[in-house]
Amino acid sequence: MAEDPSPTEVFALLDDDYARALLAATSHRPMTATELSNDCDMSLSTVYRRLDALEDCGLVAARTQLADDGHHPDVYEAQMDALTVRLTDGTFDVTLSVESKTHEFADALVDLWEGL
């Protein structure tokens, strides 16, 4: 995840209807790209392009979801709890606050693995 996302990138993403729709949808529950495509009424290629940009800024995270059928799709989850923008001496500063269960589960898995 990006520690300090670029204000220009964040502003551009938040100005984009598709990116906002994906961010809003993934704030409810983790979703696959196909689910997002259907729910947000956009093409898969558009979904993937916007998800890549959202991930680059740390606004969305992907994780692999294990499935019984052997197909393990990535699911995407919003990582933004708060986004703070400050303007100081003509410079924008963007701070992203994240509190996600994805991070908690990942940390627990690492602790478990290292404990073996």
Side-chain angles (χ1 to χ4, degrees):
M1 179 180 80
E3 291 283 328
D4 295 315
S6 159
T8 302
E9 290 176 285
V10 173
F11 294 157
L13 280 171
L14 295 179
D15 189 41
D16 181 84
D17 291 337
Y18 294 121
R20 282 196 317 272
L22 294 173
L23 191 57
T26 58
S27 72
H28 297 289
R29 66 179 176 86
M31 299 176 75
T32 66
T34 302
E35 290 172 325
L36 288 165
S37 175
N38 293 332
D39 286 4
C40 298
D41 194 29
M42 62 183 81
S43 71
L44 267 176
S45 61
T46 299
V47 168
Y48 281 117
R49 276 195 307 274
R50 294 318 190 282
L51 286 172
D52 284 344
L54 288 164
E55 277 187 284
D56 288 345
C57 284
L59 301 176
V60 169
R63 66 177 165 81
T64 302
Q65 181 178 18
L66 300 178
D68 293 335
D69 64 2
H71 180 254
H72 308 298
D74 283 340
V75 291
Y76 300 87
E77 180 180 24
Q79 298 297 294
M80 182 177 75
D81 283 329
L83 182 70
T84 306
V85 179
R86 295 182 196 275
L87 178 60
T88 307
D89 296 326
T91 302
F92 286 101
D93 178 47
V94 174
T95 305
L96 179 62
S97 298
V98 174
E99 187 173 317
S100 168
K101 293 191 182 339
T102 300
H103 294 292
E104 293 172 21
F105 293 135
D107 290 342
L109 182 60
V110 168
D111 291 344
L112 177 67
W113 184 256
E114 289 175 349
L116 294 178

